[in-house]
């Protein structure tokens, strides 16, 4: 640009346009560099923990799972309203940092999605929450973004069925494979996700969904006796926790380095 400004200096309009372009590039580069440094500072502060991010559409069950894992009181669980989690919530659990983020896909929720994207950079593994109501097209857009950041994904399919109703609970505990974990439904969601993952550049053979019942996992923490144990077993939350344990114990240090490297490369791109 500097060379062109001198060569084409006879044309004042061209020279001014090039100089303005140079000023814009300088300003935008400064903003990007500032953002990169701020992100590095955040990552440095989080070095004491392995960071697990709960990521997914609004109302997918992220807060319910986090309340179940950390044995919360249920205050942050949505009651059917949109965009329950508006802020980033962090919780320390078993030397992990569990990060609950705003969901994507809500009406007028662009700011929420942007917040979730910024947290993605700092996470070491992503629990990608899916809703059994439907795996929508917006999931493909977010899969593309997560894949671009090279984040390891654990797909968790929340099978929605209200177990606060006594009749529903009895039926679910008696025949979970018929009432909640229907094989055909799970296979349909798996095929749909693999198709979206393939379009996003992810090898579909690496895609594995863990079906759970998030509400049962939380109810198990506040229900005593044998029914509490039954709800815990019904929820299948242990499958998620064991997968997480394997990831941390097997790849923990590598994931921490990878988070820094991939984040830096993303900013350079």
């Amino acid at each position: 640009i500097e060379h062109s400004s001198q060569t084409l200096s006879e044309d004042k309009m061209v020279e001014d346009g090039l100089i303005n372009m140079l000023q814009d590039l300088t300003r935008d580069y400064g903003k990007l560099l500032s953002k990169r440094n701020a992100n590095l500072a955040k990552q440095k502060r989080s070095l004491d923990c392995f960071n697990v991010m709960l990521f997914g559409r609004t109302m997918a069950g992220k807060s319910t799972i986090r309340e179940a894992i950390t044995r919360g009181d249920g205050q942050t669980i949505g009651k059917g309203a949109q965009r329950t989690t508006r802020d980033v919530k962090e919780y320390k659990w078993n030397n992990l940092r569990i990060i609950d983020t705003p969901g994507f896909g809500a009406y007028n929720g662009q700011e929420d999605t942007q917040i979730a994207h910024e947290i993605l950079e700092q996470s070491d593994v992503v629990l990608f929450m899916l809703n059994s109501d439907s795996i929508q097209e917006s999931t493909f857009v977010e899969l593309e973004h997560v894949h671009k950041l090279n984040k390891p994904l654990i797909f968790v399919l929340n099978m929605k069925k209200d177990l606060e109703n006594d009749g529903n609970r009895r039926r679910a505990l008696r025949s979970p494979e018929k009432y909640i974990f229907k094989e055909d439904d799970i296979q349909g969601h798996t095929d749909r996700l693999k198709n979206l993952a393939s379009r996003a550049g992810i090898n579909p053979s690496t895609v594995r969904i863990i079906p759970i019942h998030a509400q049962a996992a939380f109810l198990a923490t506040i229900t005593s006796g044998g029914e509490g144990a039954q709800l815990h077993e019904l929820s299948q939350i242990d499958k998620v926790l064991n997968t997480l344990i394997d990831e941390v114990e097997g790849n923990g240090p590598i994931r921490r380095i990878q988070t820094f490297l991939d984040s830096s490369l993303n900013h350079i791109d």
Side-chain angles (χ1 to χ4, degrees), residues 1 16-32:
I1 288 172
D16 289 346
L18 289 168
I19 290 172
N20 287 338
M21 191 186 296
L22 182 61
Q23 291 171 344
D24 289 344
L25 284 169
T26 303
R27 184 186 65 249
D28 291 344
Y29 172 74
K31 287 181 180 179
L32 285 171

Side-chain angles (χ1 to χ4, degrees), residues 250-267:
N251 302 308
I254 295 171
R255 295 301 186 211
R256 302 310 325 273
I257 295 168
Q258 187 177 325
T259 297
F260 273 79
L261 177 61
D262 291 335
S263 177
S264 297
L265 290 173
N266 180 58
H267 278 267

